Amino acid sequence: MRGFFGARMISYGLKRMQSGVGVCCSSSSNWLFGLAAAAAPLLPSSLTTISFPISKSSSSSLITLSTPLLISSPLRSIASASGSSQLNEMASDDAQDPRLQRISSAIRVIPDFPKPGIMFQDITTLLLDTKAFKDTIDLFVERYRDQNISVVAGVEARGFIFGPPIALAIGAKFVPMRKPNKLPGEVISEEYSLEYGTDKMEMHVGAVQRGDRALVIDDLIATGGTLCAAIKLLERVQAQVVECACVIELPELKGRDKLTGKPLFVLKQKTAEARHTRDLYNSSSISILKKSFNNITRRIKALNVFILTPSIEFCYEIDHIISLSKH
Ligand SMILES: O=P(O)(O)OC[C@H]1O[C@H](OP(=O)(O)OP(=O)(O)O)[C@H](O)[C@@H]1O
Ligand SMILES: Nc1ncnc2[nH]cnc12
C-alpha cells in the first residue's frame, strides 16, 4: 500500500512538472537566459524594458528585463531665477524640440567616476555627435543673441568647450575663468566647494569691465559652487551677470539656490534616476531579478514538496529503500 501511494505521488508530481512552467537549458551557460525567459511571464507586460550587462568571468551577456523605472529622464530647457520653481520655456517650444532629445541621448553617464557614488555626466560623447553638439550651441545662441551680452565667461575646463562658439556667434568677448595658477597676468580669485572636493577659480584683472553684461557658461551645475564663484568674480569687477547657462543640471544638489538670485538656464535636468542609476541596478532591477528567481524557486520547491513531502508513507518508502540498500 505504501509503495502504491508513493508511486502515485511520483507519477502525479511528474504530470505536474510536465504541465507546469518548465524551462530546459541546453547548457549551463544558458541557464540565466532560461531563468529570464521563465521569469518573463511573471512580470507585468506594461512595464518599461531596460537592458544591462551581467558580467561573467570571461565575457559578458546582456539580459533584458522589465522594470517600472524609467532610465531616461524627461528633457526640458529650464530657466528660472535661483530658488524659484518657475519654468520659462524657450521660444522654440522646447518641450517638443527634437534637438533636446538628441542632446540628452548623446551624453554618457559613467557611474562611480571620479569617486564611488558619483554618476559622472560625460559630455565628451556629446562632442562626438556633430549634430547634437551643434544643436547645443544653437540652442544657447538662439536664447542669447538678442540679449546684448558683452562677455561670455566660460568656466574651466568644460565651459571652455561651450563658451567660445557661443561668444563668437553672439558677438561677445570670451573670458576664461581658470583653475589656480594658470593665468599669467594679475588675477582675482574665489575659493569654492565641489560635489567631490574643493577648488579655486581665477579671472584676469581687466578682462571684464564695469557694466559688462555677462553670461556664465559651464557644462553642468551640481552643488552650484563653481557658478557661484564665477558670479562673485564677475560682480567684484561690477559686471552685470545676466544669466548662467549649463547643458546639464543635477537638481537634487540644489545648486540653483546658491546663485544669489541669478537666473539659470539649462538644457537638461538629470533627476534622481540619473544619479541613482547604480542604486536602480542594485535595488530595482536586481530585486525584480531576485523576485523572479524566488518565484521560480518557489515553484520548484512546490513541486518538490508535492513529490516528496506530503506523504509520510512516501518518506517511509524512501527510508525503507535506503535501509534495504544498506544491507
Ligand atoms: O556645481 P558644482 O558642484 O560646482 O560642480 C560643477 C562643476 O564641476 C565640474 O567641473 P570640475 O570642477 O570637475 O572640473 P573640470 O571641468 O576641469 O573637470 C563641472 O564641469 C562644473 O564646472
Ligand atoms: N556628476 C557630475 N558629472 C560631471 N561633472 C560633474 N561635476 C560635478 N558633478 C558632476
Side-chain angles (χ1 to χ4, degrees), residues 120 155-159 179 192-196 199 218-227 253 255:
F120 192 84
V155 178
E156 183 170 356
R158 290 168 256 161
K179 301 258 154 90
Y192 61 101
S193 56
L194 281 167
E195 193 187 2
Y196 40 80
D199 221 329
D218 206 349
D219 67 323
L220 176 143
I221 175 167
T223 65
T226 307
L227 287 182
L253 297 180

Side-chain angles (χ1 to χ4, degrees), residues 56-282:
K56 298 194 286 185
S57 51
S58 57
S59 62
S60 72
S61 316
L62 203 67
I63 279 203
T64 300
L65 279 181
S66 290
T67 172
L69 293 164
L70 294 173
I71 285 273
S72 58
S73 61
L75 186 143
R76 293 172 287 170
S77 305
I78 292 159
S80 77
S82 343
S84 147
S85 60
Q86 176 204 356
L87 307 182
N88 302 326
E89 299 294 341
M90 287 177 64
S92 57
D93 189 16
D94 56 5
Q96 313 297 325
D97 194 327
R99 295 178 292 180
L100 292 168
Q101 189 49 56
R102 187 177 182 124
I103 292 164
S104 174
S105 311
I107 297 164
R108 173 168 64 175
V109 180
I110 308 225
D112 297 325
F113 181 87
K115 282 186 179 172
I118 302 286
M119 299 300 298
F120 192 84
Q121 306 294 321
D122 180 17
I123 52 92
T124 64
T125 44
L126 170 64
L127 310 178
L128 301 176
D129 182 335
T130 53
K131 179 155 175 23
F133 186 23
K134 182 174 185 307
D135 287 345
T136 305
I137 301 302
D138 287 349
L139 282 162
F140 288 124
V141 170
E142 285 163 21
R143 182 171 181 85
Y144 296 112
R145 77 176 138 222
D146 297 323
Q147 292 205 34
N148 202 21
I149 304 286
S150 58
V151 54
V152 172
V155 178
E156 183 170 356
R158 290 168 256 161
F160 293 2
I161 296 167
F162 299 100
I166 297 167
L168 283 174
I170 65 175
K173 60 188 174 186
F174 177 78
V175 172
M177 316 288 262
R178 296 217 64 178
K179 301 258 154 90
N181 310 315
K182 298 281 185 186
L183 292 170
E186 188 189 347
V187 295
I188 54 172
S189 49
E190 281 287 335
E191 276 200 26
Y192 61 101
S193 56
L194 281 167
E195 193 187 2
Y196 40 80
T198 60
D199 221 329
K200 198 191 227 184
M201 186 183 299
E202 295 187 340
M203 181 179 80
H204 263 150
V205 171
V208 179
Q209 319 297 325
R210 176 199 296 208
D212 263 336
R213 283 174 58 80
L215 167 67
V216 186
I217 296 278
D218 206 349
D219 67 323
L220 176 143
I221 175 167
T223 65
T226 307
L227 287 182
C228 183
I231 292 169
K232 282 185 183 159
L233 285 176
L234 290 161
E235 290 190 332
R236 272 168 64 178
V237 297
Q238 293 166 28
Q240 183 193 344
V241 178
V242 175
E243 194 156 276
C244 298
C246 294
V247 181
I248 306 154
E249 176 184 13
L250 306 180
E252 299 117 308
L253 297 180
K254 303 196 188 307
R256 215 171 252 275
D257 299 349
K258 277 217 189 119
L259 304 185
T260 61
K262 298 294 170 216
L264 170 69
F265 173 77
V266 297
L267 298 186
K268 177 176 174 55
Q269 265 192 335
K270 296 286 280 188
T271 49
E273 52 74 21
R275 286 175 49 73
H276 298 162
T277 304
R278 201 173 55 121
D279 300 345
L280 183 148
Y281 278 55
N282 285 345

